[in-house]
């Protein structure tokens, strides 16, 4: 209706106000126009101006849609609804649905008007009331007006029936207890011929089934036959212009009937058997060259999968999904993949027939389809098809996009680990993955690979030769480099001498110098990655024992890192140089191959670590002092005794003892160094728990002072330096005896660094410096290292100290912490202990950061500061 031609309209018309608002060049001009109009409307409301009420409500609705407050006009809606004429009621009900919702108390005042209009003789006014009630009905209104709506379901006018059925859906949702009132009426509506009534009736029946078990059982008995008749009539009907869409008669009714059949047939064998024939008819007769036909077919497939259908019908449904995968429309292919994933739990063999088509979807240009197809392929893998499927995925890995390689690599690794029965095949596949996408391989995967190589003695030669060749061809893959240098360090003589050759291998010529060249190149290429460089240094140290002629050259390479700014690399370089230069007699025993790693124990610990990482995503707990440390081979174990860790001979599942040493015929120190442990206790008695075990065993120096400041001894592990506090006040080299008894003046203020905090995500190291003559002041240099494969952003470190300590924090070097230890963030702290000598320094820390946009928080307490700070 054109409001400008309405007899109530005079003065400023609605279209004039809209033009004025659209002509506004700024938001301020628009607000001014709205203010003027709202002021005029308020004046008309205050003056009870009935002539302009109709038009003013139309203006208020437009202003409301612009986002301005219009609550002052709510009562005008009620006055218009109470009017006698249809035009006023139409605007009143429209304003009611726009300006109010079911939470408004004003709505209670309109219940009586709605009841009167539902009983009105004019079907159009009844329709207005039903539309309004279906949009804003509250629970109280539903209870009051349900009888009127139920009565209207029996009227002759199809439009009124349709609106009453839709209004009933709202009432049942608000008050499920009223469902039983509508069951009989809903079932009778399914006998109507008008498609609008049928569509509304089917939706009402679906809602009743969700609301009440009694309604579900009632409709199963009364409605299934009617639904089959409706679906058959619609499917077989001739061309009907009123309902035709792309050559298909009323696809909306098709889909709603199929959904109701799925609801009724779920868990009911009799009902499912009754609808099997019509479902097969719809699945075979519906054309799939139009989008409307595809929608019906998809809904038909979902219904077949949801009910107790026969196996033949399920195969037919899965074949339809297979045809969908060949469709050019990305949306159709995506929903087909989703549905096939659900079908895996129903009929795996039928899905397997479309394996080649699903594999082609993995190579699709659309990233969503690729990821969904990859998940489906993972579900399709079994013991019989694992090798051809893996070959297809590995071949595609070589040409896949960089963005997709991470997901593809993870799935291939999972498939190989889960289904491999042949160790040689497992190694070949993992070596291919490392060569093609080693930068995307997660740490626990290559840790597991090292554990398997350690246990497969017959394949160690094959592994080191294969990895050496891969390293020469693909040296830019980080995980490949780590596994390769580890194997070269452990099994270098097998590489050079072609030991344990397999029939499938061809001999290769590798000299001792070539093996050292490979590790040296990796050391130079990965100048930023601390873990890789540390593993290269360990490999070089072991090669110096395996290949004595290269010892001098290796020493030159190791010495180059003596001035490295990374403390761990610097320390490794100095200690390894000392081993090569001064301890030739014990070097071969010290650098023997690592003992075989316990594969079963590692798998248990890996599963435990995975569960812990899941809980870490929810809330990152602080690391407890003395907690387990994650070693490069993936084995997490409690810190063993200093000597046991030094030689790395303690078993993963047998904790090293930290008690006083006793004589034992099979003691590893006695075996390696030839030192009788019984002599040490006879000279000075049994040492206490705080006495350093190594000093006592080697009888170096005098008995340590029990109450002196602790020092830190460094122990060597293939992938990590772990520090253990010793109660001796003297600093000594573990392999080279005591340092000078009188330290130099500048050494008196030096304190060993400590690992103050370590979790699965972060490692925090403190270095200390004091100025002579100012014992109460300490400068702490804090280094933060990211242990995960994801970059940490918005990084912030906070610290709190007791009242007797003054703390000053300097800004951090960066707010972004690179992944996998490729660089660190540093920050300086100035601490003044006003009760120096009386109370030690204590500190609580909190670290916040983001991982992939998700906020994380870790916190802990530091109480292991060196004495004397």
């Amino acid at each position: 209706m054109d409001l400008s031609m309405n007899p109530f309209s005079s003065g400023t018309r609605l279209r004039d106000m809209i033009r004025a608002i659209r002509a506004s060049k700024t938001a301020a001009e628009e607000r001014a126009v709205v203010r003027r109009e709202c002021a005029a409307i308020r004046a008309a409301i205050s003056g009870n101006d009935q002539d302009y009420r109709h038009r003013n409500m139309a203006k208020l609705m437009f202003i409301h849609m612009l986002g301005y407050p219009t609550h002052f006009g709510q009562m005008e809606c009620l006055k218009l609804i109470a009017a006698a004429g249809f035009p006023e009621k139409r605007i009143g009900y429209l304003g009611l649905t726009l300006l109010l919702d079911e939470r408004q108390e004003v709505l209670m005042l309109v219940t009586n008007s709605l009841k009167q209009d539902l009983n009105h003789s004019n079907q159009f006014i009844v329709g207005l009331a039903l539309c309004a009630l279906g949009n804003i009905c509250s629970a109280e209104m539903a209870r009051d007006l349900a009888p009127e709506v139920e009565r209207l379901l029996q009227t002759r006018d199809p439009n009124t029936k349709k609106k009453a059925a839709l209004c009933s859906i709202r009432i049942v949702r608000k008050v499920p207890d009223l469902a039983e009132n509508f069951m009989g009426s809903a079932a009778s509506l399914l006998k109507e011929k008008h498609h609008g009534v049928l569509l509304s009736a089917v939706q009402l029946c679906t809602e009743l089934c969700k609301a009440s078990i009694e309604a579900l059982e009632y409709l199963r008995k009364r409605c299934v036959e009617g639904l089959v008749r409706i679906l058959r009539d619609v499917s077989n009907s001739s061309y009907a212009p009123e309902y035709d869409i792309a050559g298909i008669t009323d696809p909306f009714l098709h889909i709603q009937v199929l959904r109701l059949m799925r609801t009724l047939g779920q868990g009911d064998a009799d009902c499912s058997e009754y609808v099997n024939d019509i479902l097969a008819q719809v699945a075979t007769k519906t054309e799939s060259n139009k989008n409307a036909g595809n929608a019906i077919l998809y809904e038909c497939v979902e219904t077949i999968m949801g009910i107790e259908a026969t196996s033949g019908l399920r195969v037919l449904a899965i074949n339809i999904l297979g045809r969908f995968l060949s469709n050019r429309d990305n949306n159709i292919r995506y929903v087909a993949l989703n549905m096939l994933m659900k079908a895996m739990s129903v009929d795996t063999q039928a899905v397997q027939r479309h394996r080649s088509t699903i594999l082609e979807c993995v190579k699709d240009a659309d990233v969503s389809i690729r990821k969904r197809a990859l998940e489906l392929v993972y579900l399709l893998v079994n013991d019989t098809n694992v090798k051809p499927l893996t070959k297809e995925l590995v071949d595609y890995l070589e040409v896949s996009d960089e963005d997709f390689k991470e997901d593809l690599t993870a799935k291939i690794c999972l498939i190989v680990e889960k289904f491999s029965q042949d160790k040689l095949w497992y190694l070949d596949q993992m070596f291919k993955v490392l060569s093609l996408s080693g930068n995307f391989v997660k740490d626990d995967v290559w840790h597991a690979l090292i554990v398997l190589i350690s246990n497969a003695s017959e394949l160690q030669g094959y592994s080191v030769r294969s990895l050496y060749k891969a390293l020469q061809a693909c040296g830019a893959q980080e995980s490949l480099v780590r596994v390769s240098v580890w194997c070269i360090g452990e099994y270098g003589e097998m590489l050079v001498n072609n030991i344990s050759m397999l029939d499938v291998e061809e001999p290769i010529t590798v000299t001792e110098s070539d093996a050292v060249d490979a590790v040296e190149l990796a050391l130079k290429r990965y100048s930023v990655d601390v873990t890789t460089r540390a593993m290269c240094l360990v490999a070089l140290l072991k090669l110096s024992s395996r290949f004595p002629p290269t010892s001098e050259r290796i020493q030159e390479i190791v010495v180059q890192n003596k001035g490295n700014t990374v403390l761990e690399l610097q320390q490794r370089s100095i200690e390894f140089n000392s081993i090569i230069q001064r301890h030739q007699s014990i070097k071969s025993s010290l650098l023997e191959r690592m003992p075989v790693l316990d594969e079963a124990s590692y798998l248990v610990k890996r599963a435990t670590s995975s569960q812990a990482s899941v809980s870490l995503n929810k809330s990152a707990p602080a690391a407890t002092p003395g907690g387990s440390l994650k070693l490069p081979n993936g084995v997490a174990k409690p810190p063993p005794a200093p000597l046991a860790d030094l030689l790395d001979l303690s078993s993963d599942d047998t904790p090293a003892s930290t008690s006083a040493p006793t004589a034992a015929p099979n003691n590893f120190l006695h075996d390696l160094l030839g030192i009788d442990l019984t002599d040490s206790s006879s000279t000075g008695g049994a040492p206490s728990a705080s006495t350093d075990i190594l000093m006592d065993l080697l009888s170096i120096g005098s008995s340590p002072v029990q109450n002196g400041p602790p020092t830190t001894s460094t122990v060597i592990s293939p992938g990590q330096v772990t520090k253990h506090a010793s109660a001796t006040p003297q600093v000594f080299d573990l392999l080279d005896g005591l340092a000078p008894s009188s330290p130099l003046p500048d050494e008196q203020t030096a304190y060993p660094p400590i690992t103050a905090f370590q979790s699965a995500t972060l490692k925090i190291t403190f270095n200390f410096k004091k100025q002579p003559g100012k014992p109460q002041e300490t400068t702490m240099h804090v280094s933060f290292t990211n242990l995960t494969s994801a970059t940490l952003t918005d990084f912030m470190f906070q610290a709190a100290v007791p009242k007797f300590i003054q703390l000053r924090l300097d800004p951090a070097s960066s707010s972004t912490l690179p992944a996998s230890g490729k660089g660190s963030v540093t920050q300086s702290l100035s601490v003044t202990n006003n009760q120096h000598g009386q109370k030690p320094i204590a500190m609580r820390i909190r670290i916040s950061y983001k991982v992939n946009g998700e906020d994380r928080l870790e916190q802990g307490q530091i109480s292991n500061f060196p004495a004397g700070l």
Side-chain angles (χ1 to χ4, degrees):
M1 181 176 179
D2 191 349
L3 295 176
S4 63
M5 302 300 294
N6 194 290
F8 296 100
S9 181
S10 62
T12 304
R13 295 176 302 176
L14 173 64
R15 64 174 59 186
D16 293 332
M17 184 191 74
I18 295 174
R19 285 197 185 103
I21 289 174
R22 290 181 175 175
S24 301
K25 296 181 180 179
T26 63
E29 289 183 19
E30 179 184 297
R31 288 194 296 270
V33 173
V34 172
R35 275 198 300 268
R36 286 196 302 270
E37 291 294 340
C38 287
I41 294 171
R42 280 195 183 94
I45 292 173
S46 300
N48 196 21
D49 190 345
Q50 299 184 10
D51 294 337
Y52 296 139
R53 183 174 289 157
H54 192 168
R55 187 195 62 197
N56 289 342
M57 182 51 59
K59 288 183 180 180
L60 276 178
M61 285 188 284
F62 185 80
I63 291 171
H64 172 79
M65 288 188 289
L66 292 177
Y68 295 98
T70 55
H71 56 277
F72 57 87
Q74 291 176 351
M75 293 303 297
E76 294 297 290
C77 293
L78 275 61
K79 293 176 182 178
L80 285 169
I81 291 171
F86 176 78
E88 293 88 343
K89 284 184 178 291
R90 184 172 66 167
I91 292 295
Y93 278 121
L94 184 57
L96 185 73
T97 56
L98 281 177
L99 305 185
L100 284 84
D101 57 48
E102 61 182 277
R103 296 169 294 179
Q104 301 286 341
E105 294 182 2
V106 180
L107 202 60
M108 293 188 297
L109 302 175
V110 80
T111 303
N112 191 49
S113 296
L114 279 169
K115 190 168 187 177
Q116 291 176 3
D117 288 342
L118 289 174
N119 292 296
H120 203 281
S121 58
N122 187 334
Q123 64 174 0
F124 299 108
I125 292 179
V126 174
L128 289 176
L130 286 171
C131 288
L133 188 61
N135 279 293
I136 61 169
C137 174
S138 63
E140 292 78 8
M141 294 174 67
R143 289 189 179 93
D144 293 338
L145 301 174
E148 278 71 22
V149 177
E150 185 183 353
R151 179 183 56 80
L152 290 171
L153 289 172
Q154 311 299 329
T155 60
R156 294 182 178 180
D157 181 57
N159 288 322
T160 304
K161 284 185 179 180
K162 178 180 67 174
K163 293 177 181 178
L166 294 174
C167 186
S168 300
I169 295 174
R170 171 85 177 197
I171 292 174
V172 172
R173 286 176 181 170
K174 289 298 174 183
V175 188
D177 295 341
L178 296 175
E180 60 182 13
N181 298 346
F182 295 94
M183 293 189 301
S185 301
S188 63
L189 286 178
L190 295 177
K191 301 175 183 178
E192 295 286 333
K193 299 296 184 182
H194 191 279
H195 282 211
V197 177
L198 286 174
L199 192 58
S200 303
V202 170
Q203 289 177 299
L204 176 57
C205 290
T206 305
E207 197 64 38
L208 288 171
C209 293
K210 294 177 183 177
S212 170
I213 299 296
E214 291 78 8
L216 176 61
E217 295 298 331
Y218 177 87
L219 294 174
R220 274 176 178 165
K221 296 176 182 177
R222 301 293 183 89
C223 295
V224 176
E225 185 178 351
L227 291 174
V228 172
R229 176 184 54 79
I230 293 170
L231 196 54
R232 182 178 292 111
D233 291 345
V234 175
S235 300
N236 298 331
S237 65
S238 58
Y239 175 72
E242 186 179 359
Y243 306 116
D244 184 82
I245 296 179
I248 296 175
T249 302
D250 205 344
F252 301 104
L253 183 57
H254 269 96
I255 289 170
Q256 291 299 331
V257 171
L258 288 169
R259 286 180 180 173
L260 181 54
M261 282 183 173
R262 180 164 72 249
T263 303
L264 297 176
Q266 193 169 12
D268 190 290
D270 294 336
C271 180
S272 300
E273 184 180 358
Y274 196 86
V275 301
N276 275 342
D277 291 341
I278 187 61
L279 289 176
Q281 180 181 333
V282 172
T284 53
K285 285 190 174 182
T286 305
E287 297 180 7
S288 60
N289 56 353
K290 297 291 174 62
N291 203 41
N294 287 327
I296 294 173
L297 286 173
Y298 175 77
E299 202 65 44
C300 184
V301 169
E302 198 157 16
T303 300
I304 292 170
M305 293 300 173
I307 66 173
E308 308 298 320
T310 61
S311 59
L313 197 57
R314 286 176 177 167
V315 171
L316 175 62
I318 292 172
N319 289 340
I320 291 172
L321 295 176
R323 293 204 306 269
F324 280 0
L325 293 179
S326 303
N327 198 296
R328 290 180 297 178
D329 191 310
N330 288 346
N331 295 323
I332 294 176
R333 278 183 291 166
Y334 186 81
V335 297
L337 290 169
N338 270 340
M339 198 63 214
L340 284 170
M341 291 184 70
K342 297 178 184 177
M344 284 294 297
S345 60
V346 178
D347 193 339
T348 305
Q349 197 59 38
V351 181
Q352 288 281 3
R353 298 191 186 100
H354 303 281
R355 191 172 61 210
S356 58
T357 310
I358 296 168
L359 270 173
E360 289 302 314
C361 291
V362 175
K363 306 171 186 179
D364 196 88
D366 188 281
V367 63
S368 300
I369 293 176
R370 285 204 306 260
K371 289 184 177 181
R372 188 61 71 197
L374 183 60
E375 292 175 9
L376 181 54
V377 168
Y378 178 71
L379 295 177
L380 287 172
V381 176
N382 54 38
D383 293 332
T384 59
N385 62 21
V386 59
K387 291 187 177 181
L389 277 179
T390 305
K391 182 180 183 304
E392 290 281 349
L393 294 177
V394 171
D395 290 344
Y396 179 61
L397 184 62
E398 188 172 1
V399 297
S400 63
D401 298 338
E402 291 296 316
D403 296 337
F404 188 54
K405 272 191 176 179
E406 183 174 359
D407 294 331
L408 186 56
T409 301
K411 287 298 182 190
I412 294 174
C413 293
L414 284 174
I415 290 170
V416 173
E417 288 182 4
K418 184 176 179 180
F419 294 98
S420 65
Q421 299 175 352
D422 179 7
K423 287 185 177 180
L424 180 60
W425 180 80
Y426 171 88
L427 291 174
D428 286 338
Q429 303 311 310
M430 291 306 300
F431 294 161
K432 289 178 184 177
V433 172
L434 289 175
S435 301
L436 295 173
S437 61
N439 292 332
F440 301 99
V441 173
K442 298 184 182 299
D443 289 348
D444 61 331
V445 174
W446 65 266
H447 292 170
L449 178 60
I450 286 179
V451 171
L452 186 137
I453 294 173
S454 171
N455 282 269
S457 57
E458 71 282 3
L459 296 174
Q460 289 169 352
Y462 173 77
S463 298
V464 69
R465 287 186 289 274
S466 300
L467 287 167
Y468 176 80
K469 290 186 286 187
L471 186 63
Q472 300 299 312
C474 313
Q477 305 294 338
E478 184 180 90
S479 296
L480 172 66
V481 172
R482 290 180 179 180
V483 178
S484 299
V485 297
W486 186 88
C487 286
I488 291 172
E490 293 294 321
Y491 316 116
E493 69 279 8
M494 290 185 169
L495 172 65
V496 172
N497 300 322
N498 285 324
I499 299 175
S500 300
M501 290 283 294
L502 301 181
D503 295 338
V504 296
E505 285 188 272
E506 294 183 2
I508 60 173
T509 303
V510 181
T511 63
E512 296 177 352
S513 179
D514 291 337
V516 176
D517 287 342
V519 180
E520 182 184 13
L521 181 62
L523 181 65
K524 293 179 179 178
R525 176 175 289 172
Y526 288 89
S527 58
V528 178
D529 183 22
V530 177
T531 301
T532 305
R533 299 196 71 189
M535 293 181 72
C536 290
L537 289 174
V538 173
L540 287 170
L541 177 64
K542 292 199 171 188
L543 288 178
S544 69
S545 175
R546 310 278 191 275
F547 309 141
T550 64
S551 182
E552 184 175 344
R553 179 190 168 193
I554 291 174
Q555 183 180 356
E556 294 176 357
I557 300 172
V558 170
V559 169
Q560 294 174 4
N561 289 275
K562 289 179 67 175
N564 199 295
T565 55
V566 179
L567 180 62
E568 182 170 331
L569 296 178
Q570 182 186 113
Q571 189 167 353
R572 283 176 185 262
S573 176
I574 294 171
E575 292 176 354
F576 293 177
N577 179 55
S578 177
I579 292 172
I580 296 172
Q581 188 173 6
R582 305 180 188 177
H583 304 288
Q584 296 293 331
S585 58
I586 66 170
K587 184 172 71 170
S588 59
S589 301
L590 189 66
L591 302 178
E592 286 184 350
R593 286 185 190 170
M594 286 184 65
V596 175
L597 302 171
D598 188 346
E599 190 170 6
S601 176
Y602 168 74
L603 293 176
V604 172
K605 292 176 181 178
R606 181 183 179 187
T608 306
S609 175
S610 299
Q611 294 174 358
S613 64
V614 170
S615 61
L616 180 66
N617 290 335
K618 299 178 181 177
S619 60
T624 56
S628 63
L629 302 175
K630 189 174 182 182
L631 302 181
N633 61 4
V635 180
K637 59 183 179 182
L643 183 62
D645 198 15
L646 167 69
L647 301 178
D648 199 28
L649 296 174
S650 60
S651 172
D652 288 339
D653 50 1
T654 305
S657 173
T658 56
S659 60
T662 58
N666 59 347
N667 188 284
F668 52 80
L669 185 67
H670 181 275
D671 291 342
L672 288 180
L673 302 183
I675 298 175
D676 189 358
L677 301 180
T678 58
D679 295 339
S680 60
S681 60
S682 62
T683 58
S688 65
S690 60
T691 305
D692 187 280
I693 182 173
L694 188 64
M695 289 191 66
D696 186 64
L697 290 175
L698 301 184
S699 300
I700 301 175
S702 58
S703 299
V705 181
Q706 298 298 319
N707 297 326
T711 62
T712 301
S713 61
T714 303
V715 293
I716 306 169
S717 167
Q720 178 156 350
V721 172
T722 310
K723 301 181 184 300
H724 300 274
S726 159
T728 170
Q730 297 175 324
V731 179
F732 61 93
D733 181 351
L734 291 178
L735 298 175
D736 204 31
L738 287 171
S741 58
S742 300
L744 297 174
D746 59 344
E747 292 176 344
Q748 292 177 353
T749 58
Y751 293 87
I754 64 170
T755 299
F757 177 89
Q758 182 160 336
S759 68
T761 308
L762 283 173
K763 178 180 178 183
I764 303 178
T765 306
F766 276 65
N767 290 272
F768 309 98
K769 185 177 181 182
K770 276 185 176 289
Q771 296 296 329
K774 297 180 179 179
Q776 72 277 10
E777 297 182 5
T778 306
T779 301
M780 302 181 184
H781 297 285
V782 189
S783 177
F784 306 94
T785 305
N786 179 5
L787 304 179
T788 69
S789 59
T791 301
L792 308 184
T793 59
D794 294 352
F795 183 83
M796 184 171 65
F797 171 75
Q798 296 173 300
V801 293
K803 293 182 179 179
F804 63 86
I805 296 176
Q806 296 178 355
L807 172 67
R808 180 173 64 83
L809 282 170
D810 293 337
S813 60
S814 175
S815 62
T816 301
L817 198 54
S820 305
K822 298 178 181 178
S824 59
V825 172
T826 58
Q827 191 167 1
S828 296
L829 291 73
S830 297
V831 177
T832 302
N833 186 355
N834 295 320
Q835 298 188 23
H836 181 264
Q838 301 176 19
K839 293 185 179 180
I841 293 178
M843 184 181 296
R844 291 189 64 83
I845 61 172
R846 184 166 68 177
I847 310 102
S848 61
Y849 52 88
K850 288 185 178 181
V851 181
N852 299 323
E854 182 180 349
D855 291 323
R856 301 283 179 85
L857 181 69
E858 298 192 45
Q859 56 187 4
Q861 184 168 346
I862 306 174
S863 56
N864 59 335
F865 288 107
L869 291 182

